[in-house]
């Protein structure tokens, strides 16, 4: 019977994964379609310069690029964009719909100063990429290598050949467009990017319009003749033919010498529909590897479920059934011959060390886990599309703040259970829950931000954004947590089924330290997620788009199941050797998966981010990794503790021992 349940569970998980993968393929855009008519102006926007060599973003106009004639203007930004380091600004590039132009002169910079020359060389050495956006689509470039086409977002600032530096000063833009269709844009929900005119989907008109469905760029380094630019104004045709060869370089950057920028633009009709235009960006290789990760997790769950079934069906149920069949005299005689977990019946619910801190960590973990489940679920449905920059971070903040009520309730409920109904101290517990993990996060974020501020990076959070975060913390999160704690004081707590002796029972000496078992238990939860962890790390640090949230949601559910089973087994093994100090061990039995994630992060830094340069970049990486590890430890530890707590309560509720 037990194995049939496991089989049904496996089938259910596989079906859920398949359904979520279908949902994952459905793209719910994050912006309205902008309809353009022939001759309408298209505006290109610029984003921060980024590099996988330093992981420190910088503003586009920190380098000597052409500036717009109307001045530099920031586009509308949300909180998520600011936290991610995005800085969207206008650019001097101007296109007209379906007007192909070639050899357009953009500008000639002033002669490079010593500082500008050094900065440009440094950004080239650090492999910084220029990021452009058109109609909310990032510019992409394709490169053929060993018979494969590689896709990159943006293009390099320049290239270094031996001791010489060359700038990519000529850009060939290709804009793919599709005819505007009412059927493909009806009912789309979202916001626009910028201030372009929005045409409602139900508008009736006989005029033909187009939507942008692709934006490609080919960078070239061309040695322009400065003498030909005496009487040429911006956006005029360059007087000489420009030969653009991506494999050769010509614009040698030198101090005291200006840089001349030009561009080409061509429009191409495409069969790609507007609702599918992000498919190229969201396409992620390695679907078979993701399925392997799911199957690997299912094997671990099946193995642990078998152990749990043996514990429940063959050991505990058999012992309890045999015990209940005896009469009172036989039970009294048997009580003198008890062994294993039955011997700790009077100590198993003895209050653990630092009970208030345990309540705080479990409550924070439940909050983080609930936030992750809600966030990934909505992302799997398409509501956290990369087309709407910053929505994932915004969703994370909203869910975390609103779930403060849950954290306060769980913390005070658990505190009352451990203190046998005591209501005093609930305010202190609630307040500490509201400040513990957010306080650690704020401390880490402040240290990281100080490094970014010192580097003049756009990744540094502005002071006003810090004030907004503090307002969310103390204005919404803290009150909700206190309200949750107050409600828990009125709710019934869980009463212990057996009494606890005043004198604690001595724990027998063990051959091996019990923490070895606890530390080793974390390898099983880590085994369920380490494959998916590689894709997540590559998305964060190598600039790859991660959008297989359907797989991630299933992996998260499997991780929760493995953590629960691992903690249950470890707790039972401790009770069998008469060790009643199971509270913290049940928390860390599953929470130690964070230790292995941190080791994996170090391994990823050494072997996959070998090009990461500078102590600031390494400190940023370690800071964000530490933040992730703490969050994972709290979430997985909460799952393990609560599973073990209810298991122990149910187990000793069945034992009739006075």
């Amino acid at each position: 019977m037990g194995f049939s349940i496991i089989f049904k569970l496996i089938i259910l998980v596989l079906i859920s994964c398949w359904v979520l993968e279908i949902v994952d393929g459905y793209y719910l855009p994050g912006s309205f379609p902008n309809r353009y008519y022939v001759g309408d102006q298209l505006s290109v926007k610029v984003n921060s310069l980024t590099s996988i060599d330093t992981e420190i973003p910088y503003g586009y106009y920190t380098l000597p690029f052409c500036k717009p004639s109307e001045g530099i203007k920031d586009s509308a930004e949300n909180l998520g964009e600011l936290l991610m380091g995005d800085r969207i600004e206008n650019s001097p590039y101007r296109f007209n719909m379906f007007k192909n132009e070639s050899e357009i002169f953009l500008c000639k910079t002033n002669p490079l100063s010593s500082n500008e020359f050094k900065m440009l060389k440094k950004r080239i050495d650090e492999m910084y990429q220029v990021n452009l956006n058109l109609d909310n689509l990032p510019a992409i470039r394709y490169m053929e290598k060993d018979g494969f086409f590689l896709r990159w977002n943006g293009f390099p600032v320049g290239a270094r050949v031996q001791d010489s530096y060359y700038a990519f000063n000529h850009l060939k833009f290709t804009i793919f467009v599709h005819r505007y269709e009412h059927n493909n844009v009806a009912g789309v929900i979202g916001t626009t990017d910028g201030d372009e005119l929005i045409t409602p989907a139900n508008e009736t008109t006989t005029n033909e319009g187009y939507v942008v469905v692709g934006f490609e760029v080919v960078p070239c380094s061309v040695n322009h003749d400065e003498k030909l630019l005496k009487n040429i104004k911006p956006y005029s045709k360059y007087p000489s033919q420009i030969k653009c060869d991506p494999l050769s370089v010509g614009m040698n950057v030198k101090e005291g010498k200006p840089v001349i920028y030009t561009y080409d633009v061509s429009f191409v009709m495409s069969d790609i529909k507007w609702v599918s235009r992000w498919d190229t960006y969201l396409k992620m290789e390695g679907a078979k590897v993701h399925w392997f990760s799911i199957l690997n997790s299912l094997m671990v769950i099946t193995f642990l479920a078998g152990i749990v079934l043996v514990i429940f069906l063959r050991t505990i149920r058999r012992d309890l059934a045999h015990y209940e069949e005896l009469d009172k005299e036989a039970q009294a005689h048997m009580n003198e011959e008890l062994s294993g977990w039955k011997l700790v019946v009077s100590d198993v619910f003895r209050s653990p060390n630092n009970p208030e801190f345990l309540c705080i960590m479990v409550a924070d973990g439940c909050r983080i886990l609930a936030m992750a489940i809600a966030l990934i679920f909505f992302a799997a449905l398409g509501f956290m599309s990369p087309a709407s920059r910053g929505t994932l971070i915004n969703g994370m903040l909203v869910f975390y703040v609103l779930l403060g009520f849950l954290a306060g309730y769980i913390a005070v409920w658990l505190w009352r259970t451990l203190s046998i109904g005591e209501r005093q101290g609930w305010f202190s517990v609630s307040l500490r829950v509201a400040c513990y993990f957010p306080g650690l996060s704020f401390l880490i974020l402040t240290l990281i931000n100080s490094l970014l501020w010192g580097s003049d990076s756009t990744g540094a959070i502005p002071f006003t954004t810090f004030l907004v975060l503090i307002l969310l913390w103390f204005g919404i999160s803290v009150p909700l947590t206190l309200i949750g704690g107050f409600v828990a004081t009125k709710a019934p707590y869980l009463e212990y089924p057996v009494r606890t002796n005043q004198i604690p029972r001595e724990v027998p000496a063990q051959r091996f330290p019990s923490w070895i078992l606890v530390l080793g238990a974390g390898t099983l939860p880590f085994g369920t997620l380490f494959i998916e962890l590689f894709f997540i790390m590559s998305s964060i640090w190598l600039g790859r788009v991660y959008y297989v949230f359907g797989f991630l949601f299933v992996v998260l559910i499997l991780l929760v199941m493995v953590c629960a089973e691992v903690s249950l087994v470890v707790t039972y093994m401790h009770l069998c050797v008469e060790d009643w100090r199971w509270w913290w061990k049940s928390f860390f039995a599953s929470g130690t998966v964070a230790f292995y994630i941190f080791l994996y992060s170090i391994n990823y830094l050494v072997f996959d981010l070998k090009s990461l340069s500078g102590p600031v970049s390494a400190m940023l990486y370690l800071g964000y990794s530490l933040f992730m590890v703490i969050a994972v430890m709290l979430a997985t530890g909460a799952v393990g503790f609560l599973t073990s707590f209810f298991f122990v309560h149910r187990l000793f509720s069945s034992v009739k021992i006075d």
Side-chain angles (χ1 to χ4, degrees):
M1 176 180 177
F3 287 100
S4 64
I5 295 176
I6 296 176
F7 178 75
K8 292 178 181 178
L9 179 62
I10 293 174
I11 296 298
L12 179 62
V13 170
L14 291 175
I15 292 176
S16 301
C17 185
W18 176 71
V19 171
L20 285 172
E21 183 62 16
I22 293 177
V23 174
D24 181 67
Y26 173 73
Y27 167 58
L28 192 101
S31 60
F32 284 108
N34 295 315
R35 186 201 299 193
Y36 301 97
Y37 298 98
V38 175
D40 284 354
Q41 189 177 83
L42 306 178
S43 299
V44 177
K45 299 180 184 295
V46 296
N47 202 342
S48 300
L49 305 173
T50 56
S51 170
I52 61 174
D53 187 62
T54 65
E55 303 294 348
I56 303 175
Y58 289 99
Y60 176 83
Y61 292 107
T62 57
L63 292 183
F65 291 129
C66 299
K67 296 179 175 60
S69 57
E70 66 274 18
I72 301 173
K73 299 178 181 178
D74 293 333
S75 295
E77 294 175 318
N78 56 53
L79 185 60
E81 288 182 82
L82 293 173
L83 294 177
M84 292 174 62
D86 288 340
R87 297 295 184 271
I88 311 298
E89 298 168 314
N90 60 332
S91 79
Y93 294 100
R94 297 289 184 269
F95 308 145
N96 294 315
M97 176 59 73
F98 259 121
K99 182 180 179 182
N100 295 336
E101 297 179 295
S102 60
E103 301 166 353
I104 300 300
F105 168 70
L106 188 62
C107 80
K108 182 181 75 170
T109 67
N110 295 324
L112 298 180
S113 64
S114 176
N115 290 335
E116 289 176 332
F117 176 63
K118 292 179 181 178
M119 184 64 67
L120 191 58
K121 289 198 305 179
K122 183 178 180 181
R123 296 293 179 258
I124 293 175
D125 283 333
E126 293 172 338
M127 299 186 296
Y128 269 85
Q129 303 284 314
V130 178
N131 298 294
L132 305 179
N133 294 302
L134 175 65
D135 194 51
N136 205 29
L137 281 179
I140 59 175
R141 66 185 176 94
Y142 290 93
M143 188 175 76
E144 185 177 0
K145 184 177 182 181
D146 299 330
F148 296 95
F149 280 95
L150 303 178
R151 179 184 61 80
W152 300 87
N153 286 353
F155 61 91
V157 171
R160 178 181 178 180
V161 180
Q162 295 180 352
D163 294 332
S164 299
Y165 292 84
Y166 298 86
F168 288 116
N169 60 333
H170 181 79
L171 303 179
K172 292 182 62 175
F173 296 104
T174 303
I175 302 174
F176 295 90
V177 297
H178 187 82
R179 294 187 188 278
Y180 182 88
E181 299 176 9
H182 296 286
N183 295 335
N184 292 331
V185 296
V188 177
I189 302 174
T191 57
T192 62
D193 174 51
D195 51 2
E196 287 91 349
L197 179 65
I198 305 303
T199 305
N202 57 0
E203 178 184 338
T204 58
T205 178
T206 57
N207 295 332
E208 188 180 70
Y210 299 91
V211 291
V212 177
V213 295
F215 184 36
E216 294 182 8
V217 61
V218 177
C220 299
S221 179
V222 180
N223 187 17
H224 295 301
D225 189 354
E226 188 179 350
K227 299 178 182 179
L228 300 177
L229 304 177
K230 292 183 179 180
N231 299 319
I232 294 181
K233 297 181 179 179
Y235 306 108
S236 301
K237 192 174 180 64
Y238 188 75
S240 177
Q241 183 179 5
I242 298 176
K243 295 182 180 180
C244 179
D245 183 6
L247 301 179
S248 63
V249 290
M251 183 61 221
N252 193 358
V253 180
K254 294 182 180 179
E255 184 178 347
K257 180 180 177 182
V259 181
I260 301 170
Y261 289 94
T262 56
Y263 69 90
D264 302 336
V265 58
S266 60
F267 291 83
V268 178
M269 287 294 298
S270 173
D271 294 331
I272 300 174
K273 296 184 178 181
W274 189 86
V275 294
S276 303
R277 66 177 190 161
W278 271 86
D279 289 354
T280 302
Y281 301 88
L282 303 182
K283 183 183 294 184
M284 196 165 187
E285 304 296 334
K288 293 182 178 179
V289 178
H290 290 285
W291 280 108
F292 175 77
S293 175
I294 298 294
L295 295 176
N296 176 63
S297 302
L298 287 174
M299 291 178 62
V300 174
I301 286 179
T302 304
F303 170 73
L304 290 174
I307 298 177
V308 172
L309 286 173
V310 169
I311 293 175
F312 276 109
L313 299 181
R314 294 190 178 181
T315 306
I316 297 178
R317 181 178 293 182
R318 181 187 59 193
D319 290 350
L320 293 176
H322 175 67
Y323 189 75
E324 291 175 357
E325 291 175 358
L326 301 176
D327 55 25
K328 293 184 178 180
E329 183 178 352
Q331 287 182 10
H333 178 71
M334 185 178 178
N335 289 345
E336 300 176 357
E337 300 177 355
L338 291 178
S339 62
W341 58 270
K342 308 178 197 66
L343 286 174
V344 296
V345 64
S346 299
D347 298 273
V348 70
F349 291 109
R350 188 177 301 280
S351 182
N353 296 327
N354 300 317
E356 185 177 353
F357 189 48
L358 178 62
C359 297
I360 292 170
M361 294 185 70
V362 171
D364 265 326
C366 292
R367 184 185 195 178
I368 294 170
L369 180 63
M371 176 202 69
I373 292 176
L375 184 70
I376 297 174
F377 176 76
F378 282 103
L381 295 179
F383 289 99
M384 306 292 178
S385 168
S388 295
R389 289 180 296 270
T391 53
L392 198 65
I393 302 296
N394 286 336
M396 184 183 302
L397 289 174
V398 169
F399 283 127
Y400 186 82
V401 167
L402 295 181
L403 287 169
F405 179 88
L406 176 67
Y409 184 91
I410 292 177
V412 174
W413 174 84
L414 188 57
W415 167 253
R416 293 188 62 209
T417 299
L418 295 181
S419 58
I420 315 178
E422 181 64 45
R423 284 189 172 89
Q424 292 184 356
W426 73 270
F427 185 84
S428 173
V429 173
S430 301
L431 187 61
R432 290 179 66 182
V433 168
C435 298
Y436 175 62
F437 181 72
L440 287 177
S441 304
F442 197 81
L443 177 61
I444 295 174
L445 192 63
T446 302
L447 294 176
I448 292 175
N449 216 50
S450 62
L451 296 175
L452 293 173
W453 269 333
S455 302
D456 295 326
S457 169
T458 59
I461 302 175
F463 179 73
T464 54
T465 305
F466 257 109
L467 295 180
V468 172
L469 293 177
I470 294 175
L471 180 62
L472 289 174
W473 181 6
F474 289 100
I476 302 178
S477 179
V478 172
L480 284 176
T481 307
L482 295 176
I483 292 173
F486 177 76
V487 172
T489 61
K490 307 298 182 181
Y493 64 94
L494 192 63
E495 297 183 5
Y496 294 149
V498 294
R499 291 178 297 182
T500 302
N501 291 339
Q502 292 184 353
I503 301 176
R505 178 186 178 86
E506 183 179 356
V507 178
Q510 307 297 326
R511 185 175 181 182
F512 299 102
S514 59
W515 285 103
I516 294 180
L517 176 62
V518 173
L519 186 62
T523 57
L524 292 174
F526 179 74
T528 66
L529 59 80
F530 80 96
I531 296 178
E532 208 65 31
L533 185 61
F534 169 79
F535 290 98
I536 296 174
M537 298 286 282
S538 299
S539 172
I540 296 174
W541 300 109
L542 296 181
R544 301 172 185 172
V545 178
Y546 185 92
Y547 201 62
V548 285
F549 291 105
F551 279 115
L552 183 60
F553 183 76
V554 175
V555 170
L556 178 62
I557 298 302
L558 296 178
L559 175 64
V560 170
M561 297 172 62
V562 172
C563 288
E565 293 175 345
V566 163
S567 182
L568 190 150
V569 172
V570 170
T571 299
Y572 179 76
M573 294 177 66
H574 279 93
L575 294 179
C576 285
V577 295
E578 304 175 26
D579 188 352
W580 48 267
R581 300 167 301 182
W582 58 272
W583 304 87
W584 282 104
K585 294 173 184 177
S586 66
F587 182 91
F588 287 110
S590 54
T592 49
V593 64
F595 172 73
Y596 296 99
I597 292 178
F598 186 74
L599 292 181
Y600 180 84
S601 301
I602 301 298
N603 174 80
Y604 192 87
L605 173 64
V606 174
F607 295 100
D608 292 272
L609 295 179
K610 293 181 289 187
S611 61
L612 198 65
S613 61
V616 174
S617 300
M619 290 294 293
L620 290 176
Y621 177 85
L622 294 176
Y624 285 120
S625 298
L626 181 62
F627 173 79
M628 176 182 65
V629 163
I630 294 175
V632 171
M633 181 195 67
L634 293 174
T636 54
V639 172
F641 172 81
L642 291 177
T643 303
S644 295
F645 180 69
F646 289 114
F647 162 71
V648 172
H649 187 276
R650 181 67 182 89
L651 174 61
F652 286 91
S653 296
S654 304
V655 179
K656 301 176 182 178
I657 301 179
D658 295 329

